[in-house]
Amino acid sequence: ISFFFKAVFSFTMFGDLFEEDYSSVSNNQYGKGKKLKPKALEPPAPREFTNLSGIRNQGGTCYLNSLLQTLHFTPEFREALFSLGPEELGSLEDKDKPDAKVRIIPLQLQRLFAQLLLLDQEAASTEDLTDSFGWTSNEEMRQHDVQELNRILFSALETSLVGTSGHDLISRLYHGAVVNQIVCKECKNTSEKQEDFLDLTVAVKNVSGLEDALWNMYVEEEVFDCDNLYYCETCDKLVKATKSAKLRKLPPFLTVSLLRFNFDFVKCERYKETSPYTFPLRINLKPFCEQSELDDLEYIYDLFSVIIHKGGCYGGHYHVYIKDIDHLGNWQFQEEKSKPDMKLKDLKNEEEIDDPLMILKAILLQKNNLIPVDQLGQKLMKKIGVSWNKKYRKHHGPLRKFLQLHSQVFLLSSDESTVTLLKSPPLQAGSETQRPDRHVFQTPTAEAPGLNDTASCPHWFDIDDSRVQPIEEKDIEQQFQGKESAYMLFYRKSQLQRPPEAQANPRYKVPYHLLNEMDAANIELQKNRAECDSENSNIELRLHLGPRYHFFNGALHPVGSQTESVWDLTFDKRKTLGDLRQSIFQLLEFWEGDMILSVAKLVPAGLHVYQTLDGDELMLSDIAVADGEDIFVWNGMEVGGVQIQTGVDCEPLLLNVLHVKTGSGGEKCGQLVDSAHVFPSNAEVASVFTASAIPGDVIFIDRAEAAGEEHWSAVPREDMKKTFRELGLRNGSSILIQDSNDDDSLLPKQRRWISSTNEINWLQVKNLCQLEAEQKQVKITATVNTVVFDIRTKAIKELKLMEELVENSCLRPIDRNGKLLCPVPDSYTLKEAELKLGSSLGLCFGKAPTPSQLFLFFAVGSDIQPGTEMEIVVEETAPVSDCLKLMLEKSGLPGETWHLRKMDWCYEAGEPLCAEDATLKELMICSGDTLLLVEGKLPPPGFLKVPIWWYQLWEPSEQWKSHQNDSSCAPSRGGGWGAASTQGAPGNMPVEVSLLCVGDIEISEDATLADLKSQAIALPPLSDFAVPSPAFLRAWTVESKRPGRLLRTNQQRLKDYKLGRRTEVCLEPLQKEENLGPQDVLLRTQMRNPAERTYAPALDLAWDTARGWTARSLRQTVASFYSLPVEKTEIAKYFPEKFEWLPISSWNQQVTKRKKKKKQDSLQGPPYYLKDGDIIGVKNLLVDCDEDFSTIRDDAGKEKQKQLALGKKRSQGALRVHSSSAEGPARSRGPEASLSIHVGSFQ
């Protein structure tokens, strides 16, 4: 049996945000034939200077890493977990045995904590731990809320430890208690309810800091008086009372969750609260506690961890600031550590820097007395700015030999891969305590922290997944506010003291079997690093021996076979260039003169030498000699008596040279022949004549950019002195040599050119002038710089149309749907007109617009049908009014009640062009835009045209129907003022409304809401009703054909409501004046009829939310409104679109907050989202014990929705089957998963 502890998480991130990109490595064009050795899997990197281990991010687990580091740096939690042995938890080796009782989660946590303490690696892995959670790779890539994880992980641990001595570990360390009390002011009776807490959830919005929030929660009292009385069971009546909450039990470790995320109901979106929110490093909780007679130290808590969230509410990253209680890390700042090369306290002057023994000892002391030998040379270069070979090799020999000669100081490992100090004398400052000398591979033991360490200074670290950096205590203040700010706080009792033996001792209280496992793992890590380092240091070199090469056809080529000319050599890149030269001397056995080593590469023409390697004292890794490098061994001057040019500038190019074939008598045969020639990149193009010995004086170059294309162009005479590289030629480029007297059309006549050319250098012009012609379309040759006028005149000529068309025609692009676009000005080039070669143009009647004119499409109405658009040419300086007149004339529409709207990107009517005096250019109208002629006169500037609706709350009476012909307006009761009282709502169903249009009004934006109501009353459908005053009308905006936002204040200007030009307003008649305050919420309340599943007519209730949007306040207000006892009143909100009722309970709200991890600050938030006009069902528990709020109509509505959903599912299933049979299996979309941890049963 398995249990899943789940919570619906409200902090969902982008699913693919954390996916890694495994890009492929491009092939080197010179690397053909090279043997690539597979790269060995490198062991994890050792710890950095802080001597603390981070945790690797699996893709989206930064929230998990931050919490795990906090638990790891809680010594009491860590050691309590370590105290549980295999006899209680079982063994990981037995986890796959069917009858074994293995508690995997605590075992994996123990192992992870041991790795973080003892394993010499930069970052630990949580893969085994998340596997024990039952998480898949998808879950590890999805980020969740760390506050939610904290509760779920502790719940999983409590379940895992049932039946062990650690069964109370979580409750003992983290559980506290809060007591809620209500005191009757008459009988002084106290009603209380105690609640346990794992963490304190405190508000951030409108609160200055943590202490302010705790004061609001546990010091201030809520008073029940006036219309908000409390029912006292002892007094058996409504009385005045006070409600308060206090901390009854304080845990050793106090967790505080900050409510950074809220919901903006105006913008309907979530947001992160980034305002300033302070929290102290030390806090006194005595003012917030029920008992205050204890010693003051019992209430003092110190901050030791801050989990920080960086980003917004829809994406971000977690990291954590942690106080190192046991001083396990090296609290030394990088800037201080990397400060100079001269900062070492024992390096006082240049003379001491010249002593390699002194500086190597100082480096080893700073590097925890153990370092790989090859890294020692790199650290030395980083310290003093020069390499060992350059500064010390001449007088002291190679570094490894120097270490061997000073065996009284340095101790090399058996394979000479690592070095440590045989003795560890302190630095001259004498303040640092070195760790005891132990076996090279052994796990580090107790040691004093870094150079800057003092016992009195608190040690804080910023742990960001794998990265661990020291910070100062003052840096915490930076997390008080902003996009990167504190999200969870962890405090510990100041009375909790750590034993002296735990200080700087990572092995303290770690179980013996884990110590052995970590020691063995460290030995294996050191071994693997040494092997990997040795393997990765070897590179393969290809030695090309100069005496066995000759220079031929512009490049170097072997004289004999490849095996004689090219030797393969495996060499250690940690050795120097001088060592490589010496090794080659030994291989060759005989070499006369200087030996120069140069980097060479194989190019299509042959082998080419690029740069000479200098610096015999430099390691090959320092001079960037790569694996698989080609090295040319020669004297640096000549090869086979020929002087060799080197470098990129003279890189040889293999070109394909073509020319016209000549007969035996010198006559030209009309066929092309080609031959390969090699030229230096820096040679002049004109040298091709002498080098190829081909007669001619014209050169054509193929400038094609893609394979299979050809784009020939002649080289101007002034460019003949340019180099091949300057003209953009590369290996494989083609050159045609031709005599200037030859036929220019030689290339197109050759079949080989015609068959292979894919170049588009034409435009297709269609005859759309409705004139008969021999051809309907022609292709006109052009380039991007061809002028449109030339294309048009050439098309008219080739179509054999009348020459008069030259003066009265234009070219218009044709889109892929066959629609003609706006004409192209004759003066534009194809590039300026943004016309692509190969596109289609239509030759049409009419002149093209000039650059100062606009070609516009327009249509009548907002429902545009394809092909109904008309066209017009206007000056861009014309005002909107003139453009409107021209369009009305062309469309033949009468009257002046029209206006223009620009079609938006959705092909719908957009905002109107209100400023009729503004020019089209000022309104940024461009050629090709579509304008819509819409009926209706626009209001003047500063005025609104508002459609008015009547808020109908019941079916119209017969008198109303006959009088108004079912057109609009509200009914009259008895022929007088008939207010639309909600008491007329049907009794067997919740309130329903219908909106009836009564007309439009034109009103200034500066007018008030009362002015709008007054004008609306004067509309003809409402003129027969004597509305006493605007105060007898309630105004709503109309949203989705339903009442939306309530417009409250009669004297507020319409401009302040920000109604917009498309806002519609509905008016609801009232029986009496209404003046709602800014804190009042208007609700429709209906009393449930017991045993009938119906509701009484609705009554309006104005709920004052000045004291908060709490469920308790609403229930008390409803109870008072219906004269019911509060404890005998139940309320629920109705969701008409779902036919569902959601009960609202003050105590349920508390439970929801604790157990479902959803903070219910107010009823404005989820799941109620309470607002004006919502329907509230009321139940009197004195006469109605039924738990259900629904009606018969709700059952019918749900059944109908169920049938509709079932039918939709069936149709989608049929469609899926059809598409899968046609296109293959469809990809299903999985449901959104909640955060859960799978725990076995250990009852």
Side-chain angles (χ1 to χ4, degrees), residues 287-349:
F288 317 118
C289 293
E290 182 184 30
Q291 300 176 358
S292 58
E293 63 275 6
L294 300 177
D295 184 29
D296 286 351
L297 292 178
E298 292 286 340
Y299 305 100
I300 304 298
Y301 280 73
D302 292 326
L303 183 71
F304 76 97
S305 176
V306 182
I307 293 183
I308 298 157
H309 180 262
K310 179 180 181 180
C313 57
Y314 297 109
H317 178 67
Y318 289 99
H319 62 108
V320 61
Y321 285 179
I322 287 184
K323 185 177 181 180
D324 184 10
I325 305 294
D326 285 345
H327 289 197
L328 300 176
N330 180 18
W331 193 66
Q332 175 182 336
F333 290 94
Q334 266 189 312
E335 53 266 30
E336 298 176 2
K337 178 183 173 74
S338 60
K339 254 180 196 177
D341 313 330
M342 311 292 151
K343 183 192 178 279
L344 297 176
K345 297 181 180 179
D346 54 342
L347 301 180
K348 301 285 186 181
N349 50 49

Side-chain angles (χ1 to χ4, degrees), residues 392-654:
Y392 302 115
R393 182 185 175 96
K394 185 174 181 181
H395 298 96
H396 301 281
L399 174 59
R400 200 179 302 271
K401 185 176 180 181
F402 179 84
L403 298 174
Q404 293 171 344
L405 291 174
H406 293 80
S407 57
Q408 73 280 9
V409 179
F410 305 107
L411 176 63
L412 286 165
S413 60
S414 57
D415 59 354
E416 298 187 351
S417 63
T418 59
V419 63
T420 183
L421 287 175
L422 187 61
K423 295 182 180 180
S424 303
L427 296 177
Q428 290 182 7
S431 62
E432 181 184 18
T433 305
Q434 301 298 325
R435 75 172 72 178
D437 187 31
R438 289 183 174 268
H439 190 277
V440 175
F441 298 127
Q442 190 163 351
T443 303
T445 57
E447 56 177 304
L451 296 171
N452 299 358
D453 193 70
T454 59
S456 60
C457 187
H459 296 183
W460 283 86
F461 291 90
D462 177 10
I463 305 182
D464 189 350
D465 290 336
S466 301
R467 186 181 64 85
V468 182
Q469 295 289 332
I471 60 171
E472 295 183 358
E473 199 170 52
K474 64 181 181 180
D475 294 335
I476 300 174
E477 297 180 3
Q478 300 173 5
Q479 306 303 332
F480 285 169
Q481 62 184 350
K483 288 291 185 182
E484 181 178 5
S485 50
Y487 191 55
M488 287 188 77
L489 308 175
F490 296 84
Y491 286 87
R492 55 183 286 126
K493 271 193 175 181
S494 61
Q495 283 190 330
L496 295 175
Q497 298 295 324
R498 299 290 297 151
E501 57 269 24
Q503 292 293 304
N505 183 9
R507 303 174 73 90
Y508 181 71
K509 291 288 184 76
V510 179
Y512 184 72
H513 69 281
L514 287 175
L515 286 175
N516 291 338
E517 181 184 345
M518 295 303 112
D519 287 343
N522 276 327
I523 294 174
E524 187 66 22
L525 270 176
Q526 292 288 353
K527 178 182 176 183
N528 292 341
R529 285 177 185 143
E531 293 175 355
C532 183
D533 186 63
S534 175
E535 184 176 349
N536 291 339
S537 296
N538 289 334
I539 57 176
E540 302 291 338
L541 301 177
R542 292 165 57 88
L543 304 179
H544 300 263
L545 307 180
R548 297 177 186 178
Y549 270 78
H550 68 131
F551 189 80
F552 170 73
N553 197 16
L556 294 167
H557 298 272
V559 176
S561 65
Q562 187 81 3
T563 55
E564 294 177 353
S565 306
V566 183
W567 290 4
D568 291 330
L569 175 65
T570 301
F571 202 74
D572 191 338
K573 66 180 179 182
R574 296 171 295 183
K575 293 186 178 180
T576 65
L577 181 62
D579 295 334
L580 175 62
R581 198 188 314 275
Q582 188 64 34
S583 298
I584 297 175
F585 268 123
Q586 296 173 1
L587 285 173
L588 295 176
E589 296 180 357
F590 175 76
W591 185 270
E592 185 177 354
D594 294 334
M595 175 184 288
I596 303 299
L597 304 181
S598 300
V599 175
K601 287 183 180 178
L602 288 168
V603 296
L607 186 72
H608 180 65
V609 179
Y610 285 86
Q611 73 217 41
T612 298
L613 300 175
D614 294 320
D616 278 8
E617 74 282 358
L618 298 177
M619 292 186 294
L620 298 188
S621 58
D622 294 337
I623 56 177
V625 175
D627 186 28
E629 196 83 79
D630 291 283
I631 304 295
F632 191 64
V633 186
W634 61 317
N635 58 16
M637 298 292 294
E638 48 82 25
V639 174
V642 180
Q643 191 167 356
I644 303 299
Q645 290 185 325
T646 62
V648 178
D649 292 339
C650 58
E651 180 180 300
L653 296 177
L654 181 62

